Amino acid sequence: MKVLVIGGGAREHALCRSLSLDPDVTALHCAPGNAGIAEVARLHPVDALDGAAVAALAGELEADLVVIGPEAPLVAGVADAVRAAGIPCFGPSGEAAQLEGSKAFAKDVMAGAGVPTARSYVCTTPAEIDEALDAFGAPYVVKDDGLAAGKGVVVTSDLAEARAHALACERVVIEEYLDGPEVSLFAITDGTTVLPLQPAQDFKRALDGDLGPNTGGMGAYSPLPWADPKLVDEVLETVLQPTVDELRRRGTPFSGLLYAGLAITGRGVRVIEFNARFGDPETQVVLARLRTPLAAVLLGSANGTLDTLPPLAWREDAAVTVVVAAHNYPGTPRSGDPIEGLDEVAAEDGPQAYVLHAGTRREGDAVVSAGGRVLSVTATGSDLAQARERAYKALGRIRLDGSQHRTDIAEKAAEGS
Ligand code: AMP
Ligand code: GLY
């Protein structure tokens, strides 16, 4: 099978790594990719948001499957353009991707499907904003309605800060605060059949101890030793399947990856958000644990034949990933700094620990930083403590001036396991 992956982050590197290890995959291409993906796939300089260009490239490459990684091309309808060219595509239509593209749309689908989520108001005027903030009280949860790369959400007990963020958004969702640990649960679906993956936990805040601003995610681990073993079945029944059924019923069937961001509250599981694509950095740990070859599963989603596949198989191993971010992330990051130590990780730590590139590019012989989240170090082990130790040991070999990372990824879960 010839596969073209669209995107160029650590998630796409993880997808390409798994696909490169899949004996079904005979050719692997990525556009635009990054310096790490270039080691396992052929890169093509294409604008990921340009559906016609992506479809044309897939045609030229005679791709049997196109896999769209990030949300922006999905919301822009790139999957529609690929499918219109007669090429199977993993990823939802532009309309169905509104599940991620518009928080108000997601809330409406959840209401229709009876899926438990935070109570919320959609506001467009200062008066509506004040009324909603007053109705819920602190801590305030204020979300920009549109796509914001995980950075459009402010959770604060400071009313002035909540109000300022709300006023800066064109349309804003203000909602009830959900208390409890967060879980990311992904499912691969073809619009009817839903195959849940293993749950993971992401660390959204920039600094140790869950302090600092929200980011796209600073690290993740899987499995979750503290979670109820029935969690996946419960979320499949109360969240994932009803959402997929509701979207089909509305005439906007959703195929691809359905990402449920969940809060495990004292009153039960609640959806914090949906995304329409694999999460980053959770994908790095979930795919590290997936034993089933990936290509046939992604193709089954694209072709509507997931019901014919055998159940997914998982490794017993635990996995931890730690993100290395550039100076000043999640503000405007500094780029162009050389990254050293990558060869040492490959020589000393592989295959139990490896680097997945995000914002990197090659400059002559050097690999330099080219984005906010620069790379993530992923490691597996017999338990979280071992995976964590291996991840941080490998990370210690990497030198990137001004870089930052959290030191407490999976720490509490490893102590409890
Ligand atoms: P989102 O982009 O919707 O995932 O929100 C980013 C982060 O903000 C989430 O991962 C949570 O940590 C936090 N958050 C979002 N909504 C809520 C909520 N209703 N209650 C508490 N925390 C929330
Ligand atoms: N890890 C959060 C996200 O991918 O949105």
Side-chain angles (χ1 to χ4, degrees), residues 55-56 80-87:
D80 306 81
V82 172
R83 278 192 277 269
I87 301 166

Side-chain angles (χ1 to χ4, degrees), residues 374-387:
V374 177
L375 54 86
S376 63
V377 181
T378 303
T380 54
S382 58
D383 58 14
L384 287 174
Q386 190 181 43

Side-chain angles (χ1 to χ4, degrees), residues 320-322 324 340-342 344-350 352-355 377-380 384-399 405-407 409:
V320 171
T321 193
V322 183
V324 174
E340 286 165 17
L342 297 169
E344 289 164 47
V345 174
E348 305 290 332
D349 304 294
Q352 292 98 344
Y354 47 88
V355 172
V377 181
T378 303
T380 54
L384 287 174
Q386 190 181 43
R388 188 179 135 71
E389 194 191 307
R390 286 175 174 167
Y392 279 107
K393 187 169 170 210
L395 189 148
R397 301 187 204 278
I398 294 183
R399 296 172 299 279
H405 64 269
R406 280 184 62 159
T407 66
I409 303 301

